[in-house]
Amino acid sequence: MKEGVARKAIYRKDYTAYPWEVHRLDLHFDIGIETTIVRAEMALQLRDGARAPQDIVLNGSDLQLVSIMLNDRVLNTQDYIVEGETLTIPGAPQNSVLKTEVEIHPAGNSAFEGLYLSGDFLLTQCEAQGFRKITWFPDRPDVMTTYRVTLEADKTGFPVLLSNGNQTDAGELPGGRHWVRWQDPFPKPSYLFALVAGDLSLVEDHFTTRSGRDVALRIYVEAENLDRCEHAMESLVNAMSWDEERFDLEYDLDIYHIVATNDFNMGAMENKSLNIFNSKYVLARPDTATDADYQGIEGVIGHEYFHNWTGNRVTCQDWFQLTLKEGLTVFRDEEFSADMQSRAVKRIRVVRDLRGRQFPEDDGPMSHPIRPDHYVEINNFYTATVYQKGATIVRMYHTRLGESGFQKGMKLYFERHDGQAVTCDDFLAAMADANAARKSSQVTACPSCRSKYSFMPFWKPLSPSRV
Ligand SMILES: [Zn+2]
């Protein structure tokens, strides 16, 4: 929060859909450490029911605007309004193509959101609202679109240029420069965008999916860490097999990247096909790592991989639904670890962790529901309650419905919502409809947390405990 600027609370009940559909986003990055130039072109169409003309409202932060064009007309400063983190173009027609060019400054970005310098290379962190530090865009999870990304840079400083999706083209440029193009065919929200540019070394393996797709698995690390990637790669292969066998979910692209860096200040991030990890969750060698390190790597590699379906293919309508992707994916990674190791030991660890971290949170001033009703700063809601208690609520579905009932619910959830941004209620409805369960009119709230059970109101909790 900027000093002296009071930020207003955002309420879940105030949600309104974005009036525009973004049909595609083309991004071009001219990469430099001090200054990177970002050109964006997006095709917008008003949703059914929205009457033209409508304002186009975009989010941006710390962007130096070079130019902006709407339907090939250059806009002057009187044609749009910039207020705080929003840019408004009044009265745009039904179908609009918007082109912007901005300059950003990765080396000077100390917020570690958006594009920033980590050691000698550049990388991104966009969850929850970092994409607005890269370009003007409706930076909200319910605006999903397909991305085509072209990265251009000096070949010596940035031999590796990565983004989401499959690589579709590449070439040389004069002056020792080169370019690479990436296309992600699956619509995604902006928080899943990623870019990595730098001099990184590579460990490669392959995985063949059940339907026969050959997937290149690539882990990029700093050169001195090349001998410590074996366990992470093995964990990734195991996670891909496990998700096919247990959840009937296959990987959907030709390539899967993991980039590990010492300087990533989040644990790990599930950007579509380009996960970025703190090295701690990737690197291990028998002479330096403990059993707990090995188990931690397996769990986190699995967690980020499992997001490909629970989070990426089906994402959250708004940030209030964070537990929809995190609670569900933590449940999935707990089950993965239980199947890979000892189920009993894993369960004891999960409960000890819950009691050690989440119970105190619920007992103190930080107590909040797994799906909050309002927030001032969403980054403060990446909590043990949203993650671990959220996973426990999902476990209660599983306990009540059994493995086959739960899997029926998951199947229906993906059939209904693949490619959509949805809510916890949609998950509940899929679970209930697939199992013909009782609906919410028969709710009995948990006596100890009442509204905190809003995620799963259609049955009475197992016991009046806090989880
Ligand atoms: Zn997660």
Side-chain angles (χ1 to χ4, degrees), residues 24-27 131 137 143-149 163-164 182-193:
R24 63 178 168 81
L25 177 62
D26 264 302
L27 291 170
F131 193 69
F137 192 74
V143 176
M144 300 174 82
T145 191
T146 53
Y147 286 60
R148 189 176 74 156
V149 180
S163 191
N164 317 92
W182 296 89
Q183 174 91 46
D184 184 355
F186 295 100
K188 65 172 175 288
S190 52
Y191 81 88
L192 291 172
F193 169 80

Side-chain angles (χ1 to χ4, degrees), residues 270 303-304 307 325-326 329 387:
E270 72 264 23
H303 179 95
E304 305 309 330
H307 268 310
K325 77 176 180 80
E326 293 304 342
T329 306
Y387 278 62

Side-chain angles (χ1 to χ4, degrees), residues 197-271:
D199 188 1
L200 291 159
S201 300
L202 165 71
V203 176
E204 183 161 7
D205 205 336
H206 283 262
F207 180 81
T208 306
T209 67
R210 208 165 40 179
S211 65
R213 178 194 287 272
D214 180 48
V215 184
L217 310 178
R218 294 182 184 155
I219 300 181
Y220 281 93
V221 291
E222 280 130 312
E224 69 268 22
N225 293 326
L226 271 177
D227 62 342
R228 296 197 281 163
C229 300
E230 202 179 320
H231 181 62
M233 188 65 91
E234 201 181 305
S235 301
L236 177 59
V237 169
N238 289 339
M240 294 174 90
S241 297
W242 181 86
D243 218 15
E244 290 185 351
E245 283 161 26
R246 179 85 189 265
F247 277 80
D248 202 22
L249 295 172
E250 265 191 55
Y251 188 60
D252 50 11
L253 288 166
D254 301 333
I255 195 160
Y256 191 90
H257 290 119
I258 290 174
V259 175
T261 167
N262 299 329
D263 297 317
F264 190 59
N265 70 342
M266 310 280 283
M269 177 63 209
E270 72 264 23
N271 316 300

Side-chain angles (χ1 to χ4, degrees), residues 321-360:
Q321 321 297 327
L322 182 59
T323 198
L324 175 68
K325 77 176 180 80
E326 293 304 342
L328 180 53
T329 306
V330 170
F331 169 76
R332 275 154 53 69
D333 85 55
E334 287 173 2
E335 283 298 295
F336 171 55
S337 297
D339 284 345
M340 297 304 293
Q341 301 160 29
S342 155
R343 175 161 290 272
V345 169
K346 177 64 187 175
R347 187 72 192 124
I348 290 166
R349 288 211 175 106
V350 166
V351 173
R352 280 171 67 176
D353 181 54
L354 198 63
R355 293 175 69 99
R357 294 195 302 124
Q358 198 281 324
F359 278 25

